[in-house]
Amino acid sequence: MKDLVDRLRLIRSPTIGPVSYRHLLSRFGSAAAALDALPDLARRGGGAAPRIVPRAEAEREIAMVEKLGGRYLLLGQGLYPRLLAELDNAPPVITVKGDLTLLDKPSAAIVGARNASAAACRFSRGLAHDLGAEGIVVVSGLARGIDSAAHDGSLASGTIAVIAGGLDVAYPPENEERQRAIAERGLLVAEMPPGTEPRARHFPYRNRIIAGLTLGTIVVEAAPRSGSLITARLATEAGREVMAVPGSPLDPRAQGCNGLIRDGATLIQNAADVIEVIRPFGSIARVASPVIPFEHPATDAGNDERARIEELLGPSAVPIDEIVRLSGMPSGTVQLVLLELDLAGRLDRHAGGKVSLTA
């Protein structure tokens, strides 16, 4: 219980993101030790002491999750999904409610337009049903349109809904009954604490979980620059399969899918096509997920080293490996300085292991 409270205090603190959380746990060995180290690390990065979530606040959250009938899955512990743990920015803590055995089975995501056509919704519902009949768990985001159709088609066989808000918040409101049914017969997954109303910034975080939980992502309808294409991009970055259903070039909702296929996504027409793509990966067992290693420097970074690393940073994102190469410093030293800057609120982390100074 104490470790859970400390982990919640750490990840719910405003300056702590998933990457810095993993570095802190790897470097200090426990959430409690990391919490003790935060003020000094932030000071060395040029910032003020960060706000740390009080113990009572974390304990209230735990009590609320228990009251809702949910539970926590923690990165680095046995129940946490292995595929999700492979992401560099995997959520350190997720809350779940429902059938945890679904996390043991191979899964595929089905995502698409909220304003989907009737034909696309029917196709998604049928595809989800057929995948379920083959033992594939369907994952989606419980949005209007394609997501809702995919959940409906796979509810009987196994579906996972990743939501952008808290476990107790139905969004959109008309999906309240559907969300309740998934909690009873499938599995709900949330990164945000209970009571959180979803905001625009939460949906990309949700999308990375959808992509990270699955062997591949299927996009049914998607306009250019839609959230579904973000999920597809995140799946590509995670090394997962991206599949798309072609549509009429006259329908704007098909432009995203047709573009994905043009750029190399696998064209999908039925469940057999999906299974042919993801089946070679085999079944996915749920095992303990590792915490990424943090190379310890022999000594903490000095002022000259910090200045040199900051000099190499700017508003444009650059790979951390490039900073290591140009600085000539050990990787552990560079990572430590970046962690200090991150905790001080002076560093932005980007996909692909890139960083930049906060504007």
Coordinates of all heavy atoms in Angstrom, one line a residue, residues 185-240:
R185 N -18.5 -6.7 -18.8 CA -18.3 -7.9 -19.7 C -16.9 -7.8 -20.4 O -16.5 -8.8 -21.0 CB -19.4 -8.0 -20.7 CG -20.8 -8.1 -20.1 CD -21.9 -8.1 -21.1 NE -21.8 -9.2 -22.1 CZ -22.6 -9.2 -23.1 NH1 -23.5 -8.3 -23.4 NH2 -22.5 -10.3 -24.0
G186 N -16.3 -6.6 -20.4 CA -15.0 -6.5 -21.1 C -14.0 -5.9 -20.1 O -14.0 -6.3 -18.9
L187 N -13.3 -4.9 -20.5 CA -12.3 -4.2 -19.7 C -12.2 -2.7 -20.0 O -12.1 -2.3 -21.2 CB -10.9 -4.9 -19.8 CG -9.8 -4.3 -18.9 CD1 -10.1 -4.7 -17.4 CD2 -8.5 -4.9 -19.3
L188 N -12.3 -1.9 -19.0 CA -12.1 -0.5 -19.1 C -10.7 -0.1 -18.6 O -10.2 -0.7 -17.6 CB -13.1 0.3 -18.2 CG -14.5 0.5 -18.6 CD1 -15.3 1.3 -17.6 CD2 -14.6 1.2 -20.0
V189 N -10.0 0.7 -19.3 CA -8.6 1.2 -19.0 C -8.6 2.7 -19.0 O -9.1 3.3 -20.0 CB -7.6 0.6 -20.0 CG1 -6.2 1.1 -19.7 CG2 -7.6 -0.9 -20.0
A190 N -8.0 3.3 -18.0 CA -7.9 4.7 -17.9 C -6.5 5.1 -17.3 O -6.1 4.4 -16.4 CB -9.0 5.3 -17.0
E191 N -5.9 6.1 -17.8 CA -4.7 6.6 -17.3 C -5.0 7.8 -16.3 O -4.2 7.9 -15.3 CB -3.8 7.2 -18.4 CG -2.4 7.7 -17.9 CD -1.5 8.1 -19.0 OE1 -2.0 8.3 -20.2 OE2 -0.3 8.3 -18.8
M192 N -6.0 8.5 -16.5 CA -6.3 9.7 -15.6 C -7.0 9.2 -14.3 O -7.7 8.1 -14.3 CB -7.3 10.6 -16.4 CG -6.6 11.3 -17.6 SD -5.2 12.3 -17.2 CE -4.0 11.5 -18.3
P193 N -6.9 9.9 -13.3 CA -7.5 9.5 -12.0 C -9.0 9.7 -12.1 O -9.6 10.4 -12.9 CB -6.9 10.5 -11.0 CG -6.4 11.6 -11.8 CD -6.0 11.1 -13.1
P194 N -9.8 9.0 -11.2 CA -11.2 9.1 -11.2 C -11.7 10.6 -11.0 O -11.0 11.4 -10.4 CB -11.6 8.3 -9.9 CG -10.5 7.4 -9.7 CD -9.3 8.1 -10.1
G195 N -12.8 10.9 -11.6 CA -13.3 12.2 -11.6 C -12.8 13.2 -12.7 O -13.2 14.3 -12.8
T196 N -11.8 12.7 -13.5 CA -11.2 13.5 -14.5 C -12.1 13.6 -15.7 O -12.4 12.6 -16.3 CB -9.8 13.0 -14.9 OG1 -9.0 12.9 -13.8 CG2 -9.2 13.9 -16.0
E197 N -12.6 14.8 -16.1 CA -13.3 15.0 -17.3 C -12.3 15.1 -18.5 O -11.3 15.8 -18.4 CB -14.1 16.3 -17.2 CG -15.2 16.3 -16.2 CD -16.4 15.5 -16.6 OE1 -16.5 15.2 -17.8 OE2 -17.3 15.2 -15.8
P198 N -12.5 14.4 -19.5 CA -11.6 14.4 -20.6 C -11.4 15.7 -21.3 O -12.4 16.4 -21.5 CB -12.1 13.3 -21.6 CG -13.6 13.2 -21.3 CD -13.7 13.5 -19.8
R199 N -10.2 16.1 -21.5 CA -9.9 17.4 -22.3 C -9.2 17.0 -23.5 O -8.7 15.9 -23.7 CB -9.0 18.3 -21.4 CG -9.7 18.7 -20.1 CD -10.8 19.7 -20.3 NE -11.4 20.2 -19.1 CZ -12.5 19.7 -18.6 NH1 -13.1 18.7 -19.2 NH2 -13.0 20.2 -17.5
A200 N -9.0 18.0 -24.4 CA -8.4 17.7 -25.7 C -7.0 17.1 -25.6 O -6.6 16.2 -26.3 CB -8.4 19.0 -26.6
R201 N -6.2 17.6 -24.6 CA -4.9 17.1 -24.4 C -4.8 15.6 -24.0 O -3.8 15.0 -24.1 CB -4.1 18.0 -23.5 CG -4.6 17.9 -22.0 CD -3.8 18.8 -21.1 NE -4.2 18.6 -19.7 CZ -5.2 19.3 -19.1 NH1 -6.0 20.1 -19.9 NH2 -5.5 19.1 -17.8
H202 N -5.9 15.1 -23.4 CA -5.9 13.7 -22.9 C -6.0 12.7 -24.0 O -5.6 11.6 -23.9 CB -7.1 13.5 -22.0 CG -7.0 14.3 -20.7 ND1 -8.1 14.8 -20.0 CD2 -5.9 14.8 -20.0 CE1 -7.7 15.5 -19.0 NE2 -6.4 15.5 -18.9
F203 N -6.6 13.1 -25.2 CA -6.9 12.1 -26.2 C -5.6 11.5 -26.9 O -5.6 10.3 -27.1 CB -7.9 12.6 -27.2 CG -9.3 12.8 -26.6 CD1 -9.7 14.0 -26.1 CD2 -10.1 11.7 -26.6 CE1 -11.0 14.1 -25.6 CE2 -11.4 11.8 -26.0 CZ -11.8 13.0 -25.5
P204 N -4.6 12.3 -27.2 CA -3.4 11.7 -27.7 C -2.8 10.7 -26.7 O -2.2 9.7 -27.1 CB -2.5 12.9 -27.9 CG -3.4 14.0 -28.1 CD -4.5 13.8 -27.2
Y205 N -2.8 11.0 -25.4 CA -2.3 10.1 -24.4 C -3.1 8.8 -24.4 O -2.6 7.7 -24.4 CB -2.5 10.7 -23.0 CG -1.6 11.9 -22.8 CD1 -2.1 13.0 -22.0 CD2 -0.4 12.1 -23.3 CE1 -1.4 14.1 -21.8 CE2 0.3 13.2 -23.1 CZ -0.2 14.2 -22.4 OH 0.6 15.4 -22.2
R206 N -4.5 8.9 -24.5 CA -5.3 7.7 -24.7 C -4.9 6.9 -25.9 O -4.8 5.7 -25.9 CB -6.8 8.1 -24.7 CG -7.7 6.9 -24.9 CD -9.0 7.4 -25.6 NE -8.8 7.9 -27.0 CZ -9.8 8.2 -27.8 NH1 -11.0 8.2 -27.4 NH2 -9.5 8.7 -29.0
N207 N -4.7 7.6 -27.0 CA -4.4 7.0 -28.3 C -3.1 6.1 -28.2 O -3.0 5.1 -28.9 CB -4.3 8.0 -29.4 CG -5.6 8.7 -29.7 OD1 -6.7 8.2 -29.3 ND2 -5.6 9.8 -30.5
R208 N -2.1 6.6 -27.5 CA -0.9 5.8 -27.4 C -1.1 4.5 -26.6 O -0.4 3.5 -26.9 CB 0.2 6.7 -26.8 CG 0.3 6.6 -25.2 CD 1.4 7.5 -24.7 NE 1.7 7.3 -23.3 CZ 0.9 7.7 -22.2 NH1 -0.3 8.2 -22.5 NH2 1.3 7.5 -21.0
I209 N -2.0 4.5 -25.7 CA -2.4 3.3 -25.0 C -3.1 2.3 -25.9 O -2.8 1.1 -25.9 CB -3.2 3.6 -23.7 CG1 -2.4 4.5 -22.7 CG2 -3.6 2.3 -23.0 CD1 -3.2 4.9 -21.5
I210 N -4.0 2.8 -26.7 CA -4.7 2.0 -27.7 C -3.7 1.3 -28.6 O -3.7 0.1 -28.8 CB -5.7 2.8 -28.5 CG1 -6.8 3.3 -27.6 CG2 -6.2 1.9 -29.6 CD1 -7.8 4.2 -28.3
A211 N -2.7 2.1 -29.1 CA -1.7 1.6 -30.0 C -0.8 0.6 -29.3 O -0.3 -0.4 -29.8 CB -0.9 2.7 -30.7
G212 N -0.4 1.0 -28.0 CA 0.6 0.2 -27.3 C 0.1 -1.1 -26.8 O 0.8 -2.0 -26.6
L213 N -1.2 -1.2 -26.5 CA -1.8 -2.5 -26.0 C -1.9 -3.6 -27.1 O -2.0 -4.7 -26.7 CB -3.2 -2.2 -25.5 CG -3.4 -1.6 -24.1 CD1 -4.8 -1.3 -23.8 CD2 -2.8 -2.6 -23.0
T214 N -1.8 -3.2 -28.3 CA -2.2 -4.1 -29.4 C -1.1 -4.5 -30.3 O 0.0 -3.8 -30.4 CB -3.3 -3.5 -30.2 OG1 -2.9 -2.2 -30.8 CG2 -4.6 -3.2 -29.4
L215 N -1.3 -5.6 -31.1 CA -0.3 -6.0 -32.1 C -0.4 -5.2 -33.3 O 0.5 -5.1 -34.1 CB -0.6 -7.5 -32.4 CG -0.4 -8.5 -31.3 CD1 -1.0 -9.8 -31.7 CD2 1.1 -8.7 -31.0
G216 N -1.6 -4.6 -33.6 CA -1.7 -3.8 -34.8 C -3.0 -2.9 -34.6 O -3.9 -3.2 -33.8
T217 N -3.0 -1.8 -35.4 CA -4.1 -0.9 -35.4 C -4.8 -0.8 -36.8 O -4.1 -0.7 -37.8 CB -3.7 0.5 -35.1 OG1 -3.2 0.5 -33.7 CG2 -4.8 1.6 -35.2
I218 N -6.1 -1.0 -36.8 CA -6.9 -0.9 -38.1 C -7.6 0.4 -38.1 O -8.4 0.7 -37.2 CB -7.9 -2.1 -38.1 CG1 -7.2 -3.4 -37.9 CG2 -8.7 -2.1 -39.4 CD1 -8.1 -4.5 -37.3
V219 N -7.5 1.2 -39.1 CA -8.2 2.4 -39.3 C -9.3 2.2 -40.4 O -9.0 1.7 -41.5 CB -7.3 3.5 -39.7 CG1 -8.0 4.9 -39.8 CG2 -6.1 3.7 -38.8
V220 N -10.5 2.5 -40.0 CA -11.6 2.2 -40.9 C -12.0 3.4 -41.7 O -12.1 3.4 -43.0 CB -12.8 1.6 -40.2 CG1 -14.0 1.4 -41.1 CG2 -12.4 0.3 -39.5
E221 N -12.3 4.5 -41.1 CA -12.5 5.8 -41.8 C -11.8 6.9 -41.0 O -11.8 6.9 -39.8 CB -14.0 6.2 -41.8 CG -14.7 5.5 -43.0 CD -16.2 6.1 -43.1 OE1 -16.7 6.7 -42.1 OE2 -16.8 5.9 -44.2
A222 N -11.1 7.8 -41.7 CA -10.4 8.8 -41.0 C -10.1 10.0 -42.0 O -9.5 9.8 -43.0 CB -9.0 8.3 -40.5
A223 N -10.5 11.2 -41.6 CA -10.1 12.4 -42.3 C -8.7 12.7 -42.1 O -8.1 12.3 -41.1 CB -11.1 13.5 -41.9
P224 N -8.1 13.5 -43.0 CA -6.7 13.9 -42.8 C -6.6 14.7 -41.4 O -7.5 15.4 -41.0 CB -6.4 14.9 -43.9 CG -7.4 14.4 -45.0 CD -8.6 13.9 -44.3
R225 N -5.5 14.4 -40.7 CA -5.2 15.1 -39.4 C -6.2 14.7 -38.3 O -6.4 15.5 -37.4 CB -5.1 16.6 -39.6 CG -4.0 17.1 -40.5 CD -3.9 18.6 -40.6 NE -5.1 19.1 -41.2 CZ -5.3 19.2 -42.5 NH1 -4.4 18.7 -43.4 NH2 -6.5 19.7 -42.9
S226 N -6.8 13.5 -38.4 CA -7.7 13.1 -37.4 C -7.0 12.4 -36.3 O -5.8 12.0 -36.4 CB -8.8 12.2 -38.0 OG -8.1 10.9 -38.4
G227 N -7.7 12.2 -35.2 CA -7.1 11.4 -34.1 C -6.8 10.0 -34.4 O -5.8 9.4 -33.9
S228 N -7.5 9.4 -35.3 CA -7.3 8.0 -35.7 C -5.9 7.9 -36.4 O -5.2 6.9 -36.3 CB -8.4 7.5 -36.7 OG -9.6 7.6 -36.0
L229 N -5.5 8.9 -37.2 CA -4.2 8.9 -37.8 C -3.1 9.1 -36.8 O -2.0 8.6 -37.0 CB -4.2 10.0 -38.9 CG -5.1 9.8 -40.1 CD1 -4.8 10.8 -41.2 CD2 -5.1 8.4 -40.6
I230 N -3.4 9.8 -35.7 CA -2.4 9.9 -34.6 C -2.2 8.5 -34.0 O -1.0 8.1 -33.8 CB -2.9 10.9 -33.6 CG1 -2.9 12.3 -34.1 CG2 -2.0 10.8 -32.3 CD1 -3.5 13.4 -33.2
T231 N -3.3 7.8 -33.8 CA -3.1 6.4 -33.3 C -2.3 5.6 -34.2 O -1.4 4.8 -33.8 CB -4.5 5.8 -33.1 OG1 -5.3 6.7 -32.2 CG2 -4.4 4.4 -32.4
A232 N -2.6 5.7 -35.5 CA -1.8 4.9 -36.5 C -0.3 5.3 -36.5 O 0.6 4.4 -36.5 CB -2.4 5.1 -37.9
R233 N 0.0 6.6 -36.3 CA 1.4 7.0 -36.3 C 2.0 6.5 -35.0 O 3.2 6.0 -35.1 CB 1.4 8.6 -36.3 CG 2.9 9.1 -36.1 CD 2.9 10.6 -36.2 NE 2.1 11.2 -35.2 CZ 2.4 11.4 -33.9 NH1 3.5 10.9 -33.4 NH2 1.5 12.0 -33.1
L234 N 1.3 6.5 -33.9 CA 1.9 6.0 -32.7 C 2.1 4.5 -32.7 O 3.1 4.0 -32.2 CB 0.9 6.3 -31.5 CG 0.8 7.8 -31.2 CD1 -0.3 8.0 -30.2 CD2 2.1 8.4 -30.6
A235 N 1.3 3.8 -33.4 CA 1.5 2.4 -33.6 C 2.7 2.1 -34.5 O 3.5 1.2 -34.1 CB 0.2 1.7 -34.3
T236 N 2.9 2.9 -35.5 CA 4.2 2.8 -36.3 C 5.4 3.0 -35.5 O 6.4 2.3 -35.5 CB 4.1 3.7 -37.5 OG1 3.0 3.4 -38.3 CG2 5.4 3.6 -38.3
E237 N 5.3 4.1 -34.6 CA 6.5 4.4 -33.8 C 6.8 3.3 -32.8 O 7.9 3.1 -32.4 CB 6.2 5.7 -33.1 CG 6.2 6.9 -34.0 CD 5.8 8.2 -33.3 OE1 5.4 8.2 -32.1 OE2 5.9 9.3 -34.0
A238 N 5.7 2.6 -32.4 CA 5.9 1.5 -31.4 C 6.3 0.2 -32.1 O 6.5 -0.8 -31.4 CB 4.6 1.3 -30.6
G239 N 6.4 0.2 -33.4 CA 6.8 -1.0 -34.1 C 5.7 -2.0 -34.3 O 5.9 -3.2 -34.5
R240 N 4.4 -1.5 -34.3 CA 3.3 -2.3 -34.4 C 2.8 -2.2 -35.9 O 3.1 -1.3 -36.6 CB 2.2 -2.0 -33.4 CG 2.7 -1.8 -32.0 CD 3.2 -3.1 -31.4 NE 4.0 -2.9 -30.2 CZ 3.5 -2.6 -29.0 NH1 2.2 -2.5 -28.8 NH2 4.3 -2.4 -28.0

